[in-house]
Amino acid sequence: MLITEHELLKDEIREWCVRYGADRGALLPILQEVQHKYGHISEFAMQQIADALEIHPVEVDGVVSFYQFLHTRTHGRFVIRLCRTVSCDMAGKDRVARQLENELGISFGATTPDGRFTLEWASCLGLCDQGPALLVNETVYREVTPEKVHEIVSACRRSLSAHAPEFSQEAAS
Amino acid sequence: MSVSIRTPLTFRDVPPGVGLEAALALKRPAVIATLRAADLRGRGGAGFPTATKWNLAAAAQSKTKYVVCNADEGEPGTFKDRVILNHFPDLVLDGMLIGGYAIGARKGLIYLRGEYTYLRAPLEGILARRRQERRLGRAILGKKGFDFDIEIRMGAGAYVCGEETALIESLEGQRGEPRNRPPFPVDTGFQDQPTIVNNVETLAWVACIFAKGADWFRALGTAKSRGLKIFSVTGDCERPGIYEYPMGLTVGELMQRVGGEGAKAVQIGGAAGRCVPAALFDRTIAFEDIPTGGSIIVFGPQRDMLQVAKNFMEFFVEESCGQCTPCRAGTRKLLGGLELLENGRCSIEYLSELCRLGESISLASKCGLGQSSPKAFLSIIRHFRDELLGRPAPATS
């Protein structure tokens, strides 16, 4: 990371501290902001947050490592999380998983070499009546079939090449 | 594509604000008395009497108190809170305001699970609208001295944060590790202040009770489980979706209504619940018999119950917070046992030992997650032994 990027991150953390309050209770919202913007939470970011909230950096690391949606390592631009819990399992998540691996050329837990996609398992997403379900970042996909996997991945790729700022949001119900 | 709502829902008949207005017209103790008369018990699964919880928080001496809406719906097979937050958010918010009024709190927090981030923006919009309507903020509905506002806080993918003390830890910026109880949140909760933590559905029912009257609610359900309940039904049935029924329905009746007559078993209460075989379908779904937070998962005749048990155990191995040994190490042992069964290499002696271990986990774990983690395992071993023992070794590929 360039020094200027470090400075930028420092400023942002200061701003978030103003918004959420510079106390321990603000830790999770601040971490979520960093995660959302940068796709991961670097050691530098953790140190800055620790300084701002006047807590030990190990405390920050402890919190980051606890939550599944917070990461210390670089994650793909699109994080695909496939539900593996029982209802989605019965609805055929294995075949969807296989097809995701085929389309992306990686296995679960990995990130594509171009840094675009990370593939992960999720515990119950609360879409059990419409499984198999998966999340692409914050967008939900229901009743996913192996065929649909290709469309989902293609839509992600298209949105990158079009420089679209945000991934199109499917209406959530 | 939308969720399948399969029965008429009471929430549709209760316009937003009616329950809130009725409650604010009462004195604070009368609010809790109404809830006690209705005999509402927590809809998250534990079934704790809501009036008792609120009364303890109301009696606690403190200037600062909190109302927390537990929207960390993570139990496998449940999605009713998502549907309620999506279709009837005002009822939930009305319920939070009534709680704030009853216990003397000025601040509410919604702890929304990270998986439901797409619900955040619509909810923020509703909060903003309500501030304009004076259904949030200062002097709510013109009632002097009753100020209340609500903030949304996001979870980050941890099932255990649905446990109320872990949820509070998470709100405070900590790892979501459950606390010892007592002290209970009603006296030492968020920021060590008296706090009521209620499930989304519970809060929506609170609003309905004040809109339709305690007697209406009390007349439904069973003597120990009053009122209506929302069920999330999935699995091998013809009509999965959302159902509303009075408490006390038998498992068999429910199976008829959802088109799951041929089922060989039903998991009631999610991963933390228990597996009920067809022979016991005359049992009732109620706090005094088989409790549930709403999760109903149907297993058809073709399902391999070993795979079902394994899926639940993998879930707990993944979601155990690791704080206490019985749960952290025990769930792994039980999963190991299921893998032995899968390979046809588990002796009955060892299986009995694992069942005893399961009972120890139930007894010795610190929180509800750990205590309920072996339930699915134990009930499947008990009812489906024949199906599990002496399997041929799987073909190696």
Side-chain angles (χ1 to χ4, degrees):
Chain A
M1 210 184 252
L2 295 169
I3 291 171
T4 48
E5 285 178 355
H6 274 178
E7 289 303 322
L8 178 67
L9 181 62
K10 272 187 185 172
D11 287 345
E12 284 169 337
I13 287 169
R14 264 195 290 273
E15 269 172 45
W16 288 324
C17 282
V18 171
R19 190 185 312 166
Y20 298 110
D23 61 39
R24 180 70 192 244
L27 179 56
L28 214 46
I30 293 172
L31 289 172
Q32 286 163 335
E33 292 281 3
V34 176
Q35 173 70 46
H36 185 73
K37 175 144 191 206
Y38 293 94
H40 76 295
I41 301 161
S42 63
E43 282 188 9
F44 178 80
M46 285 194 259
Q47 180 67 58
Q48 292 305 312
I49 294 167
D51 291 347
L53 302 183
E54 296 180 348
I55 54 178
H56 199 282
V58 165
E59 294 269 330
V60 180
D61 188 52
V63 169
V64 172
S65 63
F66 184 85
Y67 293 96
Q68 220 190 342
F69 286 10
L70 302 178
H71 309 281
T72 51
R73 285 182 301 122
T74 315
H75 258 56
R77 169 77 178 75
F78 299 102
V79 180
I80 301 180
R81 294 191 172 95
L82 176 65
C83 176
R84 65 170 160 192
T85 309
V86 66
S87 301
C88 285
D89 186 50
M90 296 200 296
K93 70 108 176 49
D94 280 342
R95 291 183 59 210
V96 173
R98 195 57 176 263
Q99 202 57 37
L100 278 166
E101 291 181 329
N102 292 342
E103 294 294 317
L104 297 172
I106 52 171
S107 42
F108 277 77
T111 300
T112 53
D114 62 6
R116 289 185 174 182
F117 293 95
T118 297
L119 191 52
E120 285 183 351
W121 291 115
S123 290
C124 188
L125 295 175
L127 295 158
C128 323
D129 56 333
Q130 301 163 74
L134 59 81
L135 280 177
V136 179
N137 297 342
E138 290 161 9
T139 307
V140 292
Y141 286 87
R142 309 134 197 273
E143 291 167 3
V144 180
T145 57
E147 189 70 36
K148 260 172 103 177
V149 164
H150 178 74
E151 293 165 28
I152 293 168
V153 171
S154 305
C156 294
R157 290 207 167 106
R158 272 198 308 276
S159 79
L160 273 184
S161 58
H163 298 287
E166 276 307 318
F167 194 61
S168 70
Q169 192 87 15
E170 185 182 310
S173 81
Chain B
M1 237 178 307
S2 71
V3 65
S4 308
I5 297 175
R6 304 283 187 177
T7 59
L9 298 183
T10 304
F11 297 152
R12 276 203 206 292
D13 304 335
V14 177
V18 175
L20 177 62
E21 281 168 40
L24 293 192
L26 300 170
K27 290 209 170 3
R28 288 162 198 261
V31 172
I32 293 173
T34 304
L35 270 190
R36 178 163 298 123
D39 204 4
L40 172 65
R41 295 175 65 174
R43 272 7 188 195
F48 192 80
T50 308
T52 307
K53 188 185 278 188
W54 288 17
N55 194 39
L56 288 165
Q61 296 295 315
S62 175
K63 279 192 179 148
T64 314
K65 299 180 184 180
Y66 295 98
V67 177
V68 175
C69 169
N70 185 345
D72 193 49
E73 176 175 55
E75 193 59 59
T78 9
F79 46 93
K80 51 148 186 113
D81 292 346
R82 183 194 89 226
V83 174
I84 295 169
L85 286 169
N86 205 21
H87 293 272
F88 315 104
D90 277 300
L91 291 182
V92 180
L93 301 175
D94 284 349
M96 289 181 75
L97 281 155
I98 295 169
Y101 177 65
I103 70 164
R106 296 161 59 94
K107 170 131 191 178
L109 295 145
I110 299 174
Y111 187 87
L112 183 65
R113 68 189 302 226
E115 291 84 344
Y116 290 174
T117 301
Y118 51 85
L119 290 177
R120 181 177 189 164
L123 284 172
E124 294 279 11
I126 290 160
L127 292 178
R129 188 203 76 217
R130 289 180 68 110
R131 285 185 193 109
Q132 293 197 331
E133 296 170 350
R134 300 194 71 182
R135 287 171 197 276
L136 267 187
R138 295 195 150 269
I140 285 158
L141 294 176
K143 192 165 182 86
K144 271 192 187 160
F146 180 45
D147 307 338
F148 194 86
D149 213 324
I150 296 174
E151 185 188 329
I152 299 174
R153 299 284 289 269
M154 299 306 299
Y159 166 75
V160 69
C161 289
E163 199 277 344
E164 60 177 6
T165 60
L167 188 157
I168 290 169
E169 286 285 306
S170 181
L171 284 176
E172 292 178 356
Q174 308 281 350
R175 294 161 67 87
E177 292 174 349
R179 298 174 177 173
N180 280 321
R181 305 189 312 167
F184 293 97
V186 287
D187 56 59
T188 312
F190 181 55
Q191 312 281 24
D192 289 340
Q193 302 300 325
T195 303
I196 52 172
V197 183
N198 288 111
N199 171 260
V200 169
E201 187 190 341
T202 310
L203 291 164
W205 286 122
V206 166
C208 294
I209 286 167
F210 284 93
K212 293 172 79 89
D215 292 340
W216 157 78
F217 193 80
R218 193 183 171 79
L220 298 160
T222 71
K224 287 186 176 163
S225 310
R226 308 273 185 188
L228 299 158
K229 177 83 191 82
I230 307 289
F231 298 101
S232 317
V233 181
T234 61
D236 301 321
C237 61
E238 280 166 36
R239 295 176 293 277
I242 290 287
Y243 291 80
E244 177 191 284
Y245 288 118
M247 298 286 269
L249 194 72
T250 69
V251 182
E253 284 166 348
L254 184 60
M255 285 307 104
Q256 276 176 6
R257 294 178 190 187
V258 305
E261 288 95 338
K264 75 169 170 188
V266 180
Q267 180 77 15
I268 297 178
R274 68 179 96 160
C275 190
V276 179
L280 301 178
F281 278 6
D282 56 344
R283 298 281 296 272
T284 57
I285 302 172
F287 295 117
E288 63 271 29
D289 193 2
I290 304 174
T292 177
S295 170
I296 306 284
I297 306 170
V298 186
F299 303 118
Q302 79 287 4
R303 287 292 162 197
D304 182 351
M305 295 313 287
L306 179 54
Q307 291 309 317
V308 170
K310 211 176 136 196
N311 191 296
F312 285 135
M313 240 29 252
E314 283 167 348
F315 176 81
F316 282 115
V317 167
E318 175 68 29
E319 296 297 336
S320 170
C321 80
Q323 186 185 192
C324 71
T325 314
C327 172
R328 181 187 64 243
T331 49
R332 280 179 170 74
K333 274 282 175 210
L334 297 188
L335 179 59
L338 292 171
E339 282 162 357
L340 285 178
L341 282 168
E342 196 178 18
N343 293 322
R345 316 241 357 130
C346 187
S347 71
I348 290 180
E349 175 91 23
Y350 186 59
L351 191 60
S352 315
E353 225 173 282
L354 286 176
C355 290
R356 286 199 296 279
L357 173 65
E359 279 151 26
S360 304
I361 298 171
S362 279
L363 283 172
S365 293
K366 184 169 172 178
C367 80
L369 185 158
Q371 288 158 14
S372 53
S373 64
K375 274 206 259 174
F377 174 94
L378 291 171
S379 54
I380 289 174
I381 302 277
R382 187 181 314 126
H383 299 301
F384 295 96
R385 274 175 93 87
D386 282 355
E387 200 184 306
L388 306 183
L389 288 168
R391 294 201 172 198
T396 46
S397 57

